[in-house]
Amino acid sequence: MSSEMFTHVLALGLLASLALRVAGAPLPEASAVLPGDTSGEVETDPSDLLTSSPVWDSILGAAKDHQKAFDEEFQNNVKYHLLDDYNLSQLPENCPSSNFSKESCLQRLAQGLTRYTSLLKYVEKVYPDSRNLSETKLYIRLLLRLIKQKMKKTDEVTSVSSSQEESLLGSIDNQDAFQRKMTAHSILRQLYIFLVDGKRALRRKDRQRGRAPEVHHPLQ
């Protein structure tokens, strides 16, 4: 069994053992997250596509549950959209949807997830008992492994050193308890956006490789 197939099987086993809601209620990607991604595709073996891995649904499901946890914590006294005011300059850049090679996109995703792994330590410090966070960290490790299996130059993905991580976490820390909570929630929200944009970009790349040039109709 190849290492890639092993990762897929491991992901499926974890889905069953953790009994995540994602398994019974898949994300509405076709209509809400990734509109139009399946139209006009040439038939391809889904098992060969990174975006077909169940790890994506698992990590997106765990990240998406974040808004529910946020609303429960603040009891609607703080609106979720206010997290836009707490976006951090230290967050990784998203994968562009155009003018970017698939290898470059995979590189940015892998490097970004490596950085988010460090940023999630700040979230864990603020919310040490979060079950949702534990699931997210687990699936990030699995997804990062899958991404590297698709890359040609995995050596270009650099890890965050202990000194860099200390500097990173120190730069976003705050003495005010409310500010710390909003920063932690902002990291989780931006992680979800990072993952959605990354999956969308990869699917677009797969479509471009697997079909004839797309014809745009005026009413589409």
Side-chain angles (χ1 to χ4, degrees):
M1 181 183 292
S2 67
S3 60
E4 183 174 347
M5 183 62 70
F6 173 79
T7 305
H8 282 293
V9 173
L10 176 60
L12 287 169
L14 286 168
L15 278 170
S17 63
L18 289 173
L20 294 178
R21 285 191 296 273
V22 180
L27 292 175
E29 292 177 328
S31 60
V33 179
L34 302 171
D37 271 357
T38 58
S39 61
E41 290 186 21
V42 172
E43 187 174 348
T44 309
D45 181 5
S47 65
D48 190 47
L49 298 178
L50 173 61
T51 52
S52 297
S53 170
V55 176
W56 280 103
D57 282 348
S58 303
I59 192 171
L60 285 172
K64 193 174 184 181
D65 281 347
H66 165 243
Q67 181 171 356
K68 180 180 178 181
F70 179 92
D71 292 337
E72 289 177 351
E73 178 180 357
F74 292 104
Q75 297 294 308
N76 292 321
N77 291 318
V78 180
K79 300 302 181 182
Y80 190 69
H81 68 83
L82 291 179
L83 289 176
D84 289 338
D85 297 333
Y86 292 85
N87 287 347
L88 304 173
S89 61
Q90 297 90 337
L91 296 178
E93 292 184 276
N94 293 357
C95 184
S97 58
S98 60
N99 299 324
F100 220 59
S101 69
K102 185 171 183 178
E103 176 68 17
S104 297
C105 187
L106 291 171
Q107 170 80 19
R108 182 165 288 188
L109 283 171
Q111 196 64 61
L113 288 176
T114 301
R115 191 172 181 85
Y116 268 112
T117 299
S118 293
L119 287 166
L120 288 178
K121 292 183 179 181
Y122 181 86
V123 182
E124 190 172 28
K125 179 181 176 182
V126 179
Y127 294 100
D129 300 320
S130 172
R131 177 176 177 270
N132 179 271
L133 178 59
S134 298
E135 293 173 357
T136 300
K137 289 167 59 181
L138 168 65
Y139 289 116
I140 280 182
R141 291 196 296 271
L142 288 173
L143 182 58
L144 187 55
R145 179 176 177 178
L146 279 175
I147 291 172
K148 287 183 176 180
Q149 288 171 352
K150 294 293 185 179
M151 292 178 61
K152 298 175 182 176
K153 300 179 180 179
T154 56
D155 57 316
E156 293 186 3
V157 180
T158 58
S159 58
V160 180
S161 68
S162 56
S163 60
Q164 289 174 329
E165 184 176 276
E166 183 178 357
S167 176
L168 172 64
L169 299 182
S171 68
I172 62 177
D173 204 6
N174 195 294
Q175 295 299 316
D176 181 79
F178 177 76
Q179 297 288 330
R180 288 199 300 272
K181 289 182 178 181
M182 294 297 281
T183 297
H185 282 294
S186 178
I187 291 171
L188 291 173
R189 181 173 183 268
Q190 291 304 312
L191 170 61
Y192 175 72
I193 294 172
F194 177 82
L195 291 166
V196 168
D197 285 351
K199 186 175 183 180
R200 179 188 292 118
L202 288 176
R203 278 193 170 177
R204 197 168 279 130
K205 297 298 180 186
D206 288 333
R207 284 208 317 273
Q208 292 170 353
R209 294 177 62 187
R211 67 181 185 187
E214 186 174 359
V215 177
H216 295 280
H217 299 284
L219 298 180
Q220 285 187 340

